[in-house]
């Protein structure tokens, strides 16, 4: 694993703010899955995980404006959007702490 890959993984997963965000999204997905499996009418339960990834997921969802995508496409897009937003959140937190300088970012 290269230093750049470790840095991206640390910003995405190991940062406290990113870890809390990913945990909340994980709980929302687990609740939506449980309701889908065990409820008679799940309704709009998958709106909650989509709202957790709102800014980026809305742009991705506009691609499918003409129809409803397959479930695996929806879940894949949701996971990718959440990971990108987690990376952005980790970068913002590190930059606000002063640990992300332009000199160190290129390494």
């Amino acid at each position: 694993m290269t230093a750049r890959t470790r840095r991206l993984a640390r910003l995405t997963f190991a940062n406290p703010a990113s870890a809390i965000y990913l945990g909340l999204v994980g709980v929302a997905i687990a609740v939506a899955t449980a309701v889908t499996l065990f409820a008679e009418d799940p309704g709009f339960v998958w709106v909650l995980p989509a709202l957790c990834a709102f800014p980026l997921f809305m742009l991705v969802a506009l691609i499918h404006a003409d129809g409803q995508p397959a479930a695996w496409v929806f879940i894949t897009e949701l996971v990718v959007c959440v990971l990108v937003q987690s990376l952005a959140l980790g970068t913002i937190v590190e930059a606000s702490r002063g640990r992300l300088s332009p000199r160190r970012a290129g390494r």
Side-chain angles (χ1 to χ4, degrees):
M1 192 180 254
T2 65
R4 179 171 280 171
T5 307
R6 275 187 301 227
R7 182 168 180 80
L8 286 174
R10 185 177 54 83
L11 287 174
T12 304
F13 300 107
N15 188 318
S18 297
I20 291 170
Y21 172 70
L22 290 173
L24 290 174
V25 172
V27 167
I29 290 174
V31 167
T33 302
V35 169
T36 301
L37 290 175
F38 299 116
E40 189 173 315
D41 181 26
F44 289 99
V45 72
W46 282 97
V47 170
L48 181 61
L51 286 177
C52 290
F54 177 67
L56 187 58
F57 189 71
M58 183 55 69
L59 294 174
V60 173
L62 289 175
I63 296 170
H64 304 292
D66 59 340
Q68 184 177 359
W72 68 270
V73 173
F74 176 79
I75 298 296
T76 303
E77 290 172 349
L78 183 66
V79 168
V80 169
C81 289
V82 165
L83 290 176
V84 168
Q85 288 183 176
S86 178
L87 175 64
L89 182 62
T91 304
I92 290 169
V93 168
E94 290 294 315
S96 69
R97 291 181 178 172
R99 295 181 185 169
L100 191 66
S101 65
R103 185 181 76 230
R104 291 178 66 197
R107 291 184 185 179

